[in-house]
Amino acid sequence: MIIGVGIGYFIPSSSTFINSFSSGTINLPLAIGLILMMYPPLAKVRYEKMNEVFKNTKVLGASLFLNWIVGPILMFFLAITFLKDYPEYMIGLILIGLARCIAMVIVWNELAEGNREYAAGLVALNSIFQVLFFSVYAYVFITVLLPLFGLKGSVVNITIGQIAKSVAIYLGIPFAAGVISRYTLIKIKGEEWFQKKYVPFISPITLIALLFTIIVMFSLKGQLIVKIPFDVIRIAIPLVIYFLFMFLVSFFIGKKLGADYSRNASIAFTATGNNFELAIAVAIGVFGINSGEAFAGVIGPLVEVPALIALVNVAFWLRKKYYLK
C-alpha cells in the first residue's frame, strides 16, 4: 500500500502509463493481477464435491439472504447516513454494496483456510444472481429509494450484457483455467503429482499477484489519496463499519446453523466482500472516469484489501475461540 501510494505520488506519470493498458472499463494490469490471484485456489477446488454446497439448504439460504438482502440494505443506509451531503460519494458507495463479491473472496477464503468447494459454489451462485439482478437493484436503490429518503436519485443504465462481460473476465477466465488444468493434469500426470508437485508450485502465485494488484491499485490513486485524504477517510468510515458488521453477523449466523469453521469462513467472506471491479466499471461507464461516484468506487478496494486481510486474522482468532476447544 505504501509502495503504491509512493509510486502514484512521486511518479505522477505512472497512473497514465498503467491506464494506457485499459480497454473500455477493463484495466489490463489489474485484470491480470486478479486472474492470476484467483487461479491457484480455483485449481485446488475439488469440483466433484461442490454438490455438498447445494445440499445444505439452510446454509445456502442464509448466504443468499446475507448477500442479496442484508448487504445491499446495510450499505444503502450507511451511505445515506454518512455521505448524504456528498451525493456522488453516496451513490458510489451504494453501487459497491450492490456488487456482491465474485473474485477476491476466493483469495480471502484461501488465506483464512476456508472451504474451497463452498467458496467456489457460493461465488458461482453470486455471479448468476449478479448478472440477473444487479441492474434491477441499481434502479431500485438509486433511482427509486433515494428520493423516498429526501435525497436526489439518479438513473443508472447498465445492461445484463455489460455485467456478464465483467463476470466472464474476472470469474470465468480463472474458473475455466482452474477446472481445465486440474482435470487435464490429473489425467496426464496423476493426482499425487498434481497435489504434491503442481499445487505447491502454483500456490505462491496468489500472494505475489495480490501484492502486485495492491501496488497497482494504490499507485493509480496515489496523488488523490495524498491530496484529499479526508475524502478518503470520509468514504472509508462507512466501509469499515460495513465490512466488520457483515463479517461478524455472517460468521455467527453460520455458527448457529452448525457450519464447521472452514464452511463458516467461506460464508462470512462471501457475504463481506464486494465486486469492486463491477462497481468501478459501472461508475465510470455511467458517471464518467473523473466523477465522485468513480472515486468512491476506487476507494472501495483500497479499504477492502487491508480490512479483509485484517478480518482473516479475526477469523483465525474466532476459530481458536469457538472451534479449537
Side-chain angles (χ1 to χ4, degrees):
M1 288 159 55
I2 293 169
I3 291 170
V5 171
I7 291 171
Y9 184 73
F10 292 108
I11 313 173
S13 60
S14 62
S15 61
T16 305
F17 176 73
I18 295 169
N19 281 321
S20 69
F21 295 98
S22 295
S23 174
T25 55
I26 305 299
N27 182 275
L28 192 59
L30 279 177
I32 290 171
L34 286 164
I35 290 167
L36 286 175
M37 190 168 36
M38 293 168 63
Y39 168 68
L42 288 171
K44 297 175 191 176
V45 172
R46 295 167 296 176
Y47 292 95
E48 64 277 7
K49 294 196 173 185
M50 273 181 57
N51 62 335
E52 294 177 10
V53 181
F54 305 100
K55 283 181 180 178
N56 192 330
T57 53
K58 284 185 179 180
V59 171
L60 188 63
S63 179
L64 292 175
F65 177 74
L66 288 162
N67 271 285
W68 294 99
I69 304 296
V70 178
I73 291 174
L74 174 63
M75 191 72 92
F76 177 83
F77 281 106
L78 286 170
I80 66 175
T81 300
F82 285 90
L83 298 170
K84 63 182 178 182
D85 296 327
Y86 302 87
E88 290 186 349
Y89 294 164
M90 177 184 68
I91 290 174
L93 203 68
I94 293 170
L95 284 173
I96 293 172
L98 300 181
R100 311 313 301 162
C101 196
I102 60 166
M104 290 188 79
V105 64
I106 298 290
V107 179
W108 310 134
N109 181 73
E110 184 78 0
L111 294 176
E113 298 175 8
N115 185 297
R116 295 187 189 112
E117 290 70 42
Y118 252 64
L122 294 174
V123 161
L125 270 179
N126 273 345
S127 67
I128 295 167
F129 272 72
Q130 197 157 95
V131 170
L132 295 176
F133 298 117
F134 182 85
S135 54
V136 176
Y137 268 53
Y139 174 78
V140 171
F141 278 87
I142 296 172
T143 309
V144 177
L145 288 182
L146 281 179
L148 295 179
F149 287 86
L151 299 163
K152 185 181 178 181
S154 185
V155 177
V156 178
N157 292 314
I158 181 75
T159 67
I160 287 177
Q162 289 170 299
I163 301 163
K165 180 184 175 183
S166 175
V167 171
I169 290 171
Y170 293 113
L171 179 63
I173 292 174
F175 230 126
V179 173
I180 292 168
S181 63
R182 179 180 180 84
Y183 286 106
T184 302
L185 289 172
I186 287 176
K187 188 175 182 179
I188 295 171
K189 302 286 287 184
E191 187 160 357
E192 186 177 356
W193 178 89
F194 183 84
Q195 295 295 347
K196 292 185 177 180
K197 297 286 186 181
Y198 188 69
V199 167
F201 174 73
I202 63 171
S203 291
I205 294 173
T206 295
L207 285 176
I208 294 167
L210 174 60
L211 291 172
F212 168 78
T213 305
I214 291 170
I215 290 171
V216 172
M217 284 194 305
F218 277 79
S219 65
L220 284 170
K221 294 298 174 182
Q223 281 192 308
L224 278 173
I225 291 169
V226 175
K227 286 181 179 177
I228 49 174
F230 291 109
D231 281 35
V232 175
I233 294 169
R234 191 172 281 118
I235 297 166
I237 290 171
L239 280 169
V240 170
I241 294 170
Y242 172 87
F243 293 135
L244 186 60
F245 181 89
M246 284 298 293
F247 181 82
L248 292 175
V249 168
S250 303
F251 190 91
F252 285 108
I253 285 177
K255 186 176 182 300
K256 190 172 180 63
L257 290 173
D260 62 19
Y261 168 78
S262 66
R263 292 173 181 172
N264 206 354
S266 300
I267 295 164
F269 281 105
T270 304
T272 304
N274 294 92
N275 184 355
F276 62 82
E277 306 93 343
L278 177 60
I280 293 170
V282 171
I284 291 172
V286 175
F287 301 102
I289 194 166
N290 295 314
S291 65
E293 290 88 351
F295 179 70
V298 170
I299 297 304
L302 302 188
V303 177
E304 178 173 332
V305 169
L308 271 289
I309 289 173
L311 287 173
V312 168
N313 291 288
V314 172
F316 286 139
W317 181 81
L318 290 170
R319 178 173 64 175
K320 186 177 178 181
K321 184 176 176 65
Y322 292 107
Y323 288 97
L324 299 179
K325 290 184 178 180

